[in-house]
Amino acid sequence: MRRDSESLTDRRKLLRDQTNHLHKKLDDNVGPLGTSDQYLRYLRGMLQFRRPIEQQIAASRLPEDFSTFVPSRISEELESDLRALDRAPIIVPAELIDPQPLDFSELLGVLYVLEGSSLGARFLIKRAEQLGFGEATGASHLAKQTCDSGNWKAFCALLEQVETVDEEAMASAARTTFSRALDAFEKV
């Protein structure tokens, strides 16, 4: 059932290559987070993006033999962070919440984007700290994402273990996930 390490590299490279332009566009849209207002916009955009997609992931199933990996959820922490800043969490319109389960290939593409964001969170937490935000003061979601690098490694191992996956569906889902994030940030 295990794939060789070169296949893992190829699959991750495929996802990275298929989403690189969208990833850059999202990074540019989010901006440098150099001010409290920019950070607040980031929190609102992340919550608008993460809440519906996390509900969709919750409706999906990973095979039971992948028990070492649990998808990260940070919506509750994002809501808590907004409350810590005396801001009400945004209401996500019902039409944006789609609890329809993803098929396994699509789920892998979505999770590639979400779990990969924990790597970027390592940079963002430093920016938040420079603005005066910490785990108890508006950056609990970043603290959660950065406290354990094991989930990203477990996800990468999951990619390595998968024998059969529709790589086009996986890449398409990853691109769609980045597009959904861009849409969320354009609305806040």
Side-chain angles (χ1 to χ4, degrees), residues 1-4 63 65-66 157-164:
M1 184 165 183
R2 295 190 68 75
R3 298 172 58 91
D4 64 27
D65 58 338
F66 296 130
L158 173 69
L159 280 178
E160 182 180 351
Q161 291 175 355
V162 174
E163 286 183 6
T164 305

Side-chain angles (χ1 to χ4, degrees), residues 145-179:
Q145 284 186 294
T146 59
C147 73
D148 179 17
S149 63
N151 219 41
W152 172 247
K153 291 175 185 175
F155 175 73
C156 290
L158 173 69
L159 280 178
E160 182 180 351
Q161 291 175 355
V162 174
E163 286 183 6
T164 305
V165 71
D166 179 339
E167 290 185 346
E168 180 50 41
M170 180 179 66
S172 178
R175 289 189 303 270
T176 298
T177 303
F178 272 113
S179 292

Side-chain angles (χ1 to χ4, degrees), residues 18-176:
Q18 289 284 314
T19 60
N20 194 39
H21 66 290
L22 291 168
H23 192 171
K24 181 176 179 354
K25 189 174 179 179
L26 180 61
D27 285 347
D28 291 345
N29 190 299
V30 169
L33 301 185
T35 68
S36 295
D37 286 341
Q38 289 172 339
Y39 184 73
L40 179 61
R41 178 183 175 269
Y42 160 77
L43 287 177
R44 290 178 182 260
M46 282 301 288
L47 182 57
Q48 176 110 3
F49 164 62
R50 291 291 295 236
R51 185 185 291 142
I53 206 160
E54 286 180 12
Q55 289 179 355
Q56 192 173 19
I57 290 168
S60 305
R61 296 268 183 239
L62 284 171
E64 289 184 24
D65 58 338
F66 296 130
S67 60
T68 60
F69 169 73
V70 176
S72 300
R73 296 185 188 159
I74 60 169
S75 292
E76 289 180 19
E77 287 78 12
L78 285 162
E79 290 174 2
S80 174
D81 290 342
L82 284 166
R83 282 190 297 276
L85 300 176
D86 290 327
R87 305 297 175 130
I90 58 167
I91 305 299
V92 178
E95 65 269 11
L96 295 180
I97 298 176
D98 181 11
Q100 295 296 319
L102 298 159
D103 76 26
F104 186 62
S105 296
E106 293 170 330
L107 183 61
L108 288 175
V110 170
L111 291 172
Y112 168 79
V113 176
L114 298 186
E115 296 303 327
S117 71
S118 67
L119 303 175
R122 293 179 184 348
F123 169 76
L124 294 177
I125 198 166
K126 292 175 185 169
R127 301 292 293 183
E129 288 170 351
Q130 291 171 349
L131 294 170
F133 304 116
E135 185 172 0
T137 56
S140 66
H141 77 285
L142 293 171
K144 182 175 182 179
Q145 284 186 294
T146 59
C147 73
D148 179 17
S149 63
N151 219 41
W152 172 247
K153 291 175 185 175
F155 175 73
C156 290
L158 173 69
L159 280 178
E160 182 180 351
Q161 291 175 355
V162 174
E163 286 183 6
T164 305
V165 71
D166 179 339
E167 290 185 346
E168 180 50 41
M170 180 179 66
S172 178
R175 289 189 303 270
T176 298

